[in-house]
Amino acid sequence: MTVDAFWRRVPEESVRGRAPSELRVLVPHFLEEADQERGVLVGVEDTDALIGALLRLGSGDSPGARLFSDLPPDWDDYWMIGVFDAGAVRQIAGVFSHATLDAWVSQYSAALADAATGLGYSGGQRDWLLETLLSDAREVAALFIAAAAEHEAVIFRVVV
């Protein structure tokens, strides 16, 4: 079973007070090319938990890494959606801004491979997943850094 995760940058005021069902409409369960090109939407398959693990390992479990790894405070289990407000986005972007993702993936490859095994991957799949992890982490990093620069919130949605 795959788990798709999506992050979408939005003006914070546009999501304030919105119900989970309304937030869900803002984040499609597929990647829209125009949104990707503008850098406002990133989607990954099976690597969101590994990106969180990578940040926690590399940053020494910093507050920003913990924020990213945890679900947003307004997380809704039924709709599987929540919002990182602009303050949380700044903290998460701070970790990504100082991250040496390539070095961290190399340094923590054994721990990340163990985490991948926990997701059901084995053998050659783990190697593929670590390569995918690095690519996905770069895209998510760029999204959070851009959102922080614009004082935006980020909607996080999971699709199983």
Side-chain angles (χ1 to χ4, degrees), residues 30-104:
F30 54 87
L31 290 176
E32 294 179 351
E33 193 171 320
D35 286 339
Q36 276 186 287
E37 289 173 4
R38 290 189 347 246
V40 297
L41 178 68
V42 171
V44 302
E45 184 179 306
D46 288 338
T47 59
D48 62 306
L50 291 176
I51 295 169
L54 177 64
L55 287 182
R56 289 181 89 149
L57 289 165
S59 72
D61 201 27
S62 70
R66 282 194 307 272
L67 278 170
F68 182 85
S69 298
D70 294 339
L71 295 170
D74 65 344
W75 181 256
D76 185 279
D77 281 332
Y78 180 78
W79 294 100
M80 297 180 70
I81 199 161
V83 177
F84 292 108
D85 66 20
V89 168
R90 278 191 302 280
Q91 282 190 289
I92 294 167
V95 175
F96 276 122
S97 294
H98 296 97
T100 53
L101 297 173
D102 295 86
W104 288 356

Side-chain angles (χ1 to χ4, degrees), residues 103-158:
W104 288 356
V105 168
S106 178
Q107 182 178 356
Y108 299 109
S109 62
L112 293 166
D114 287 345
T117 299
L119 293 171
Y121 289 90
S122 62
Q125 289 179 313
R126 286 189 300 222
D127 294 337
W128 167 84
L129 193 60
L130 291 177
E131 290 175 21
T132 302
L133 164 63
L134 184 55
S135 173
D136 290 349
R138 288 179 182 140
E139 288 184 44
V140 173
L143 179 127
F144 272 90
I145 291 167
E150 296 296 323
H151 310 288
E152 293 174 320
V154 171
I155 303 171
F156 176 60
R157 178 179 180 194
V158 173

